[in-house]
Amino acid sequence: MLRSFELCEPTSVAEASVLLARHGDAARIYAGGTELILAMKEGLIHYDHLVNVKTIPGLAGVRLDGGALRIGAATPHRVLERDPIVRERFPAVARMETDVANVRVREVGTLGGNLCFAEPHADPGALLQVFDATVRIEKKGGGRTILLEQLFVGPFETCLEGDELLTEIVVPPLPEHSAAAYLKFGFLERPSVGVGVAVTLDDGRVADARIAVGSVGPVPRRMREAEAVLKGKAIAESVAALPEAGQIAARAAEAITDLHGSAEYKEHLVGVLLRRAWEQALAAVDGRAGR
Amino acid sequence: MREIPMTVVVNGEKHELTVPAWETLIECLRDRLGLLGVKKSCDVQVCGACTVLLDDRPVSACTVLAFEARGKSLRTIEGLARGDELHPVQEAFVEHGALQCGFCTPGMIMATVALLGENPRPTADEVKHYMRGNICRCTGYKRILEAILDASRRMSGGAKGNGGAKGNDGAKGNDGAKGNGGTKGTDGR
């Protein structure tokens, strides 16, 4: 049973920011609640004030803007899973969303909430990084836009200041002749390992390679050293280089042993999932760009 | 706000309630409204036993706050049958023996109603994907899958009674290959 708290329902981002500033550590943003309410039920945390941001107009919804996907922070996973624009223009994002937790969590849980809770064992933070996604952070009187990868500071920790709200996630389109893929493995509802990749082909070569690994270490992160191994190579050479890229990514992921598996096991899976995701992305690029 | 006044339609009946901000939906439904068909099991939104429909969407009553039902409609297992006439999904579960201890059944059936509401003719794989969050420790899922596919046929098959008779049994019926293929995979999930 939950301990008592006060529910605040602001009608603007500025008002929410003021509430957060006023109550300090005694207040927390409430969006989907699928993570927050669980932690509160378990007695791990308690807040005297929950600030319900779902009452703020315009904070939920998906739209296309100059090819980029703009996602309101309070948009539930299920909307992203089913939205025709997301499915057509960002199929890897839609597919990733269909596999987040279970359908009831997806109906209620929001993308912004997922990212801000910064639970290491989560899917969206890893895949969205290979799109170079940015997030819009606002507070009363100002705002800033940062790369998604800068949001994550540590497990359950973001760079948000106490009076700031994440309001929007912007996912730029990949260049032409590109495709993304996200694969994960886990035997619990949360993933043990998640690997996202994006490949751009040009005249039979890998013009760009992006790799992100999530769930394994403290935060989901881009694996630029591993990307460098694949960039510029002919397609077949890139496939041959996957074991090396996988080893580099596995080392960089800072795997820890926990109830989702041993560090060694997760490092092994990073390599396996990278190979499969890379091959899946290669196969998805339109006509393989001149191959 | 610590006490939240709300109007909510539960199984077609309008209620005016005032709930504490921290009351969960399952507490509201079971303790306040006496709807004991909503089962509390894992209590952490993993098992699906407490699945209810909030504006026709499946949610975990154990972790959703009661005030979220403000101005919306709720449907629980108690709202499915019309008098003595079972809902087609209930009928299919009974006829296929898609339950053993029965504790997960209300949640299974509510999730099925939600699934068929948005996808009236799901493939076996689509059923398995959607229902993955509803856990049953008794059945091995085979009969549940067959019941869901059969309910799908009953509800979208046009003429009343299509598939209603026991003859048109589960995965062996119209869906042929899809049903059979899917069925095999279920036990080991």
Side-chain angles (χ1 to χ4, degrees), chain A residues 154-170:
Chain A
F156 306 101
E157 195 183 349
T158 68
C159 69
L160 288 188
E161 300 288 335
D163 59 348
E164 286 183 324
L165 289 83
L166 193 157
T167 54
E168 192 177 50
I169 299 98
V170 181

Side-chain angles (χ1 to χ4, degrees), chain A residues 30 34 41 54 78 104, chain B residues 1 45 60 62 68 118:
Chain A
Y30 165 79
T34 52
K41 273 182 90 166
K54 283 183 297 189
R78 201 81 212 289
R104 303 177 310 280
Chain B
M1 282 189 292
Q45 72 194 1
S60 295
C62 71
E68 293 285 6
E118 64 179 72

Side-chain angles (χ1 to χ4, degrees), chain A:
Chain A
M1 191 158 145
L2 283 160
R3 280 170 58 191
S4 64
F5 58 81
E6 187 192 6
L7 182 74
C8 313
E9 300 206 302
T11 53
S12 70
V13 170
E15 193 187 333
S17 173
V18 169
L19 282 164
L20 291 169
R22 183 188 306 155
H23 296 303
D25 288 344
R28 197 72 175 169
I29 293 172
Y30 165 79
T34 52
E35 315 249 31
L36 180 69
I37 299 301
L38 275 194
M40 288 175 71
K41 273 182 90 166
E42 297 294 312
L44 299 170
I45 43 175
H46 175 72
Y47 299 99
D48 291 325
H49 308 271
L50 291 192
V51 180
N52 184 6
V53 293
K54 283 183 297 189
T55 46
I56 300 174
L59 214 61
V62 188
R63 67 192 168 94
L64 209 53
D65 177 16
L69 193 63
R70 302 186 85 99
I71 304 166
T75 307
H77 297 289
R78 201 81 212 289
V79 170
L80 296 165
E81 171 186 341
R82 304 180 68 196
D83 186 273
I85 295 171
V86 182
R87 289 170 70 129
E88 191 197 321
R89 307 289 281 269
F90 295 84
V93 174
R95 268 199 304 276
M96 176 273 292
E97 287 289 1
T98 66
D99 269 332
V100 168
N102 60 52
V103 67
R104 303 177 310 280
V105 169
R106 295 198 298 276
E107 287 284 1
V108 176
T110 63
L111 180 58
N114 178 292
L115 298 175
C116 288
F117 200 71
E119 149 76 82
H121 292 277
D123 301 298
L127 174 63
L128 293 179
Q129 283 187 33
V130 303
F131 285 90
D132 286 334
T134 60
V135 290
R136 178 72 185 162
I137 295 167
E138 291 183 53
K139 64 175 178 180
K140 186 173 190 278
R144 58 187 173 127
T145 298
I146 60 169
L147 271 176
L148 173 60
E149 60 182 303
Q150 296 170 320
L151 177 72
F152 303 108
V153 173
F156 306 101
E157 195 183 349
T158 68
C159 69
L160 288 188
E161 300 288 335
D163 59 348
E164 286 183 324
L165 289 83
L166 193 157
T167 54
E168 192 177 50
I169 299 98
V170 181
V171 189
L174 294 172
E176 271 192 83
H177 311 306
S178 300
Y182 175 78
L183 292 177
K184 64 171 168 178
F185 179 81
F187 39 83
L188 301 171
E189 204 156 75
R190 291 180 178 282
S192 299
V193 179
V195 176
V197 302
V199 57
T200 303
L201 298 182
D202 181 20
D203 199 22
R205 303 191 85 82
V206 176
D208 196 12
R210 304 181 197 168
I211 301 169
V213 174
S215 301
V216 175
V219 294
R221 62 164 63 127
R222 278 287 286 276
M223 297 292 165
R224 292 199 166 75
E225 280 183 53
E227 293 172 0
V229 171
L230 305 176
K231 271 188 211 172
K233 287 198 160 61
I235 293 172
E237 286 170 7
S238 79
V239 172
L242 287 172
E244 188 193 346
Q247 277 179 2
I248 293 171
R251 264 200 312 274
E254 295 182 59
I256 56 161
T257 296
D258 60 12
L259 81 165
H260 297 272
S262 70
E264 295 82 355
Y265 178 60
K266 291 183 203 169
E267 284 171 1
H268 173 70
L269 284 177
V270 168
V272 172
L273 295 179
L274 173 61
R275 175 171 54 77
R276 292 181 186 172
W278 186 255
E279 287 171 350
Q280 198 182 94
L282 278 179
V285 181
D286 48 348
R288 288 212 170 175
R291 192 189 177 194

Side-chain angles (χ1 to χ4, degrees), chain B:
Chain B
M1 282 189 292
R2 300 179 74 79
E3 300 283 328
I4 298 167
M6 65 175 186
T7 304
V8 57
V9 176
V10 184
N11 296 329
E13 192 183 325
K14 193 169 165 182
H15 294 262
E16 306 279 349
L17 303 172
T18 299
V19 296
W22 55 91
E23 183 168 294
T24 56
L25 205 45
I26 199 166
E27 290 163 341
C28 182
L29 290 168
R30 286 182 61 92
D31 305 340
R32 201 177 284 277
L33 300 176
L35 296 169
L36 302 181
V38 185
K39 300 301 181 203
K40 183 168 171 174
S41 184
C42 77
D43 213 17
V44 287
Q45 72 194 1
V46 167
C47 78
C50 69
T51 304
V52 297
L53 306 189
L54 182 59
D55 274 352
D56 298 325
R57 304 301 224 167
V59 300
S60 295
C62 71
T63 43
V64 167
L65 295 172
F67 77 80
E68 293 285 6
R70 218 170 12 181
K72 295 184 175 169
S73 78
L74 274 167
R75 220 165 163 205
T76 70
I77 191 77
E78 287 90 345
L80 288 191
R82 288 189 193 154
D84 287 340
E85 190 188 339
L86 293 180
H87 186 281
V89 175
Q90 291 175 305
E91 256 177 26
F93 268 65
V94 170
E95 288 179 23
H96 286 268
L99 58 144
Q100 285 183 34
C101 87
F103 200 78
C104 74
T105 310
M108 285 284 177
I109 287 176
M110 296 316 291
T112 303
V113 170
L115 163 65
L116 298 182
E118 64 179 72
N119 183 1
R121 294 295 301 233
T123 64
D125 281 344
E126 286 168 343
V127 171
K128 282 191 275 182
H129 181 262
Y130 194 95
M131 300 297 292
R132 203 174 53 190
N134 286 75
I135 295 171
C136 170
R137 65 182 185 181
C138 310
T139 63
Y141 300 106
K142 185 170 184 290
R143 292 179 176 198
I144 292 174
L145 177 64
E146 288 169 355
I148 293 171
L149 291 171
D150 191 22
S152 154
R153 283 189 288 270
R154 290 171 194 226
M155 290 169 70
S156 63
K160 189 170 179 262
N162 174 24
K166 281 178 189 167
N168 188 359
D169 200 14
K172 285 171 196 157
N174 307 336
D175 273 358
K178 273 179 193 164
N180 288 330
T183 313
K184 278 175 197 154
T186 332
D187 283 340
R189 78 169 195 170

